[in-house]
């Protein structure tokens, strides 16, 4: 995109297309170059240099980008940690020609963890491969974590406002009474996780179902309305059990399903409290915005990962949820002004 007003407090035009169309002459040149790169990648792979095949798509994108005239480039190219850890090759050409390249690292967790207590949380080695010239992150703890992975301190700065994973401007619903906002992590189909090399065995449909069930039942016992903010929109990669359960939740009058296109920081403005799956950032963002937040780990599968909570409450049972709601009841409805719990664009 050209600019990121929500991160830079500047005006500008946001676009999602990084590769404007080429004119006819440049397009023909690109097709010839792409064919040569593909043939070369096959030849080198047959000779044992497999990385040529792995990098082929990135190399072809670089060839396209190099054919763009400089006046067709954006002023700034913004990425986030959810779609790119490894920096694309074409961004080096963009930087050489005067564009800035930024990665907005919205995540609040930098450690690989598993529900297997015999396996201690470990560094996420992929983070050490990042080579972004500029990064913005959630808070000082996030900056320190990135520096610990070997990234240059001068390239990393803390954002003075929350960094949302996504926000398409969908309207917020009207909510009544004390509202607890749930932030989940969508469980994926096994084949999709395998194809992407996903390593986390915690975010399963079973864990997700219990996360929702326990909180919804506890919230009802204490007179709270539940709002669920899914992380991603419905797609074919989601676990079937997840979608079936979502369809049932839609029939519950005490549960409101927010559009997945609403950003976390904007969703929190209609909440009196926030609970998220460990160790995602919405609870951290909520605390920064003056809203009580907590993690819920049903069954205490991550009790050996206490160091990752960053001081946030980690609830593990229904009784702990009940106690947490009781502790908030005396100030429910006062955490956020009632005027914020209205329809907003």
């Amino acid at each position: 995109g050209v600019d990121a007003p929500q991160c830079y407090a500047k005006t500008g035009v946001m676009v999602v297309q990084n590769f404007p169309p080429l004119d006819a002459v440049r397009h023909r040149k690109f097709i010839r170059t792409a064919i040569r790169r593909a043939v070369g990648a096959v030849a080198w792979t047959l000779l044992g240099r497999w990385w040529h095949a792995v990098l082929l798509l990135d190399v072809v994108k670089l060839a396209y980008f190099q054919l763009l005239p400089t006046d067709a480039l954006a002023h700034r190219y913004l990425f986030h940690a959810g779609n790119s850890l490894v920096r694309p090759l074409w961004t080096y050409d963009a930087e050489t020609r005067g564009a800035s390249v930024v990665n907005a690292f919205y995540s609040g967790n930098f450690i690989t963890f598993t529900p297997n207590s015999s396996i201690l949380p470990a560094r996420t080695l992929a983070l050490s491969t990042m080579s972004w010239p500029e990064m913005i992150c959630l808070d000082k703890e996030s900056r320190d974590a990135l520096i610990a992975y070997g990234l240059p301190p001068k390239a990393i700065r803390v954002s003075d406002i929350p960094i949302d994973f996504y926000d398409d401007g969908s309207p917020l619903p009207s909510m009544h009474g004390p509202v607890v906002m749930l932030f989940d992590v969508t469980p994926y189909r096994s084949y999709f996780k395998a194809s992407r090399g996903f390593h986390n065995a915690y975010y399963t449909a079973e864990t997700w179902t219990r996360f929702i069930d326990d909180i919804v039942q506890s919230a009802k016992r204490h007179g709270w309305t539940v709002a669920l903010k899914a992380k991603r929109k419905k797609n074919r990669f989601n676990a079937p059990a997840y979608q079936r359960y979502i369809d049932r939740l839609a029939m519950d009058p005490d549960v409101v399903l927010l559009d997945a296109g609403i950003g976390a920081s904007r969703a929190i403005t209609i909440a009196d409290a926030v609970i998220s799956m460990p160790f995602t950032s919405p609870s951290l963002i909520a605390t920064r915005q003056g809203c009580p937040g907590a993690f819920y780990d049903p069954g205490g599968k991550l009790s050996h990962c206490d160091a990752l909570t960053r001081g946030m409450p980690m609830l593990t049972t229904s009784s702990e949820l009940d106690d947490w709601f009781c502790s908030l009841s005396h100030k429910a409805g006062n955490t956020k002004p009632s005027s914020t719990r209205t329809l907003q664009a």
Side-chain angles (χ1 to χ4, degrees):
V2 175
D3 211 337
Q6 72 274 27
C7 294
Y8 289 89
K10 297 178 181 178
T11 58
V13 179
M14 292 284 289
V15 297
V16 296
Q17 177 55 264
N18 292 325
F19 300 92
L22 296 171
D23 60 38
V25 174
R26 287 186 171 91
H27 188 264
R28 286 194 294 270
K29 185 175 181 180
F30 165 70
I31 294 299
R32 291 193 297 269
T33 302
I35 292 173
R36 288 198 300 270
R37 296 287 186 270
V39 172
V42 171
W44 283 116
T45 301
L46 292 175
L47 293 173
R49 299 185 178 185
W50 50 266
W51 53 90
H52 287 269
V54 173
L55 292 172
L56 176 59
L57 180 58
D58 215 18
V59 168
V60 170
K61 288 182 177 180
L62 172 61
Y64 186 103
F65 197 86
Q66 288 175 325
L67 291 171
L68 291 171
T70 299
D71 60 6
L73 304 189
H75 172 63
R76 175 176 292 115
Y77 291 94
L78 179 66
F79 298 79
H80 64 74
N83 67 9
S84 192
L85 287 181
V86 178
R87 182 180 172 185
L89 292 178
W90 61 264
T91 63
Y92 291 92
D93 182 62
E95 186 180 13
T96 299
R97 291 201 268 169
S100 62
V101 178
V102 185
N103 186 292
F105 205 94
Y106 66 86
S107 179
N109 177 52
F110 300 82
I111 301 296
T112 298
F113 62 90
T114 169
N116 186 340
S117 60
S118 65
I119 302 177
L120 296 177
R123 290 165 62 89
T124 303
L125 297 181
L127 298 183
S128 300
T129 68
M130 296 192 298
S131 57
W132 301 96
E134 183 179 356
M135 298 186 70
I136 54 174
C137 58
L138 186 65
D139 51 23
K140 181 181 181 299
E141 288 78 6
S142 299
R143 184 176 185 273
D144 292 342
L146 289 170
I147 292 173
Y149 276 98
L151 300 173
K154 65 180 181 180
I156 309 167
R157 69 178 182 86
V158 176
S159 175
D160 54 2
I161 58 176
I163 305 171
D164 282 322
F165 170 77
Y166 180 75
D167 197 327
D168 64 7
S170 297
L172 290 168
S174 295
M175 302 289 290
H176 303 284
V179 176
V180 59
M181 185 73 63
L182 311 189
F183 290 88
D184 70 359
V185 176
T186 308
Y188 287 122
R189 293 175 182 265
S190 297
Y191 83 85
F192 179 72
K193 291 192 289 186
S195 69
R196 297 299 179 94
F198 286 173
H199 51 71
N200 198 304
Y202 180 76
Y203 299 126
T204 64
E206 179 183 2
T207 300
W208 180 90
T209 301
R210 187 171 172 190
F211 172 84
I212 299 297
D213 267 345
D214 290 355
I215 297 174
V216 168
Q217 295 307 315
S218 182
K220 287 182 177 181
R221 287 193 292 270
H222 296 275
W224 286 63
T225 299
V226 174
L228 173 61
K229 165 62 179 68
K231 187 171 184 177
R232 293 178 175 85
K233 291 181 179 290
K234 178 180 178 180
N235 63 65
R236 68 182 186 279
F237 304 122
N238 295 346
Y242 165 81
Q243 194 55 53
R244 289 194 296 269
Y245 197 94
I246 285 288
D247 293 339
R248 290 200 298 272
L249 278 177
M251 306 298 292
D252 191 325
D254 296 316
V255 177
V256 177
L257 303 181
L258 269 66
D259 191 296
I262 297 172
S265 63
R266 194 156 58 90
I268 290 168
T269 63
I270 62 170
D272 295 291
V274 168
I275 303 178
S276 60
M277 295 189 80
F279 295 96
T280 56
S281 60
S283 289
L284 301 174
I285 294 173
T287 301
R288 289 185 62 183
Q289 295 183 200
C291 182
F295 296 121
Y296 181 54
D297 168 31
K301 295 179 180 179
L302 302 179
S303 58
H304 58 292
C305 301
D306 286 346
L308 304 184
T309 63
R310 292 170 62 168
M312 298 293 299
M314 175 79 114
L315 312 176
T316 60
T317 65
S318 294
S319 61
E320 289 180 1
L321 282 170
D322 287 339
D323 291 343
W324 190 71
F325 278 115
C326 281
S327 71
L328 298 176
S329 292
H330 71 280
K331 55 183 178 181
N334 297 323
T335 304
K336 299 288 179 185
S338 58
S339 60
T340 65
R341 293 193 291 271
T342 58
L343 187 66
Q344 298 182 27

